[in-house]
């Protein structure tokens, strides 16, 4: 125990330096302000994994961390499509998820938006259309915006939320 205390005394306090301010946070803050101005505090997102590899899901979960702070803008994920404004769909639509995706879309209240996330959701990716896959999301439900990337970065996901603001829907 005494050896550890001596080592601590010799070494001193160790901590990391503050991160360099690269302007990225300012860009994220501007996106948050625009989303708040367009949607107020009422935007709710329902995520549907239609058959993805979970790469996109990891990036979507990053939106909840303190750096991106999606919930700080009043935008939140919900458990039911009945409470959602946006359907965020990842992966190529597998045959087993086709009906579930259609039902989730149908029970959403109007106005509703659908965002296809990742290369698989946007164009079917490497899977395309086969006996097990229906391909891209727009083959099953209407899509308002696509976010390319494999997987797309959290900042690209925020930009995708801004894309749907350019497509006003009427109830």
């Amino acid at each position: 125990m005494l050896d550890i205390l001596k080592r601590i005394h010799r070494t001193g306090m160790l901590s990391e330096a503050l991160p360099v301010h690269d302007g990225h946070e300012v860009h994220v803050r501007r996106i948050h302000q625009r989303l708040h101005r367009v949607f107020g505090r009422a935007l709710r997102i329902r995520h549907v994994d239609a058959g993805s590899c979970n790469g996109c899901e990891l990036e979507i979960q990053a939106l909840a961390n303190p750096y991106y702070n999606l919930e700080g803008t009043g935008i939140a994920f919900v458990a039911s499509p009945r409470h959602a404004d946006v359907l965020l769909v990842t992966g190529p639509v597998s045959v087993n998820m086709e009906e579930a995706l259609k039902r989730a879309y149908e029970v959403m209240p109007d106005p509703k938006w659908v965002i296809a996330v990742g290369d698989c959701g946007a164009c079917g990716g490497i899977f395309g259309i086969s006996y097990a896959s229906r391909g891209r999301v727009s083959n099953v439900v209407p899509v308002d915006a696509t976010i390319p990337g494999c997987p797309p970065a959290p900042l690209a996901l925020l930009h995708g939320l801004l894309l749907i603001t350019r497509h006003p829907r009427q109830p």
Side-chain angles (χ1 to χ4, degrees):
M1 178 70 167
L2 201 51
D3 291 336
I4 294 172
L5 291 174
K6 286 179 183 176
R7 194 174 326 141
I8 291 171
H9 181 66
R10 276 193 315 263
T11 313
M13 295 289 289
L14 297 176
S15 63
E16 295 179 9
L18 289 173
V20 178
H21 197 39
D22 61 354
H24 183 71
E25 292 129 5
V26 175
H27 191 60
V28 170
R29 196 172 323 124
R30 271 194 230 126
I31 292 174
H32 284 201
Q33 289 169 349
R34 170 120 188 249
L35 288 171
H36 179 64
R37 190 170 56 250
V38 171
F39 294 111
R41 294 205 175 263
L43 184 68
R44 299 295 178 244
I45 301 170
R46 170 66 174 134
H47 169 244
V48 174
D49 179 352
S52 78
C53 67
N54 290 333
C56 295
E57 281 75 8
L58 292 172
E59 300 301 321
I60 290 170
Q61 288 301 315
L63 292 174
N65 72 28
Y67 188 77
Y68 293 100
N69 191 20
L70 189 65
E71 293 215 12
T73 64
I75 299 169
F77 288 90
V78 293
S80 171
R82 294 181 191 276
H83 304 144
D85 304 306
V86 175
L87 197 61
L88 199 64
V89 186
T90 56
V93 182
S94 68
V95 172
N96 295 334
M97 283 299 294
E98 180 181 15
E99 186 64 30
L101 180 59
K102 286 179 181 177
R103 287 183 184 182
Y105 179 78
E106 289 168 3
V107 300
M108 287 176 64
D110 288 326
K112 54 188 165 189
W113 294 272
V114 176
I115 300 176
V117 177
D119 290 341
C120 294
C123 66
I126 62 170
F127 304 101
I129 298 175
S130 70
Y131 68 93
S133 173
R134 297 293 184 233
R136 62 182 176 218
V137 176
S138 63
N139 291 346
V140 179
V141 294
V143 172
D144 298 294
T146 59
I147 304 171
C150 187
L155 194 57
L157 293 167
L158 287 174
H159 279 289
L161 287 172
L162 284 177
L163 283 175
I164 62 171
T165 64
R166 298 186 181 117
H167 300 285
R169 288 275 176 108
Q170 301 302 321

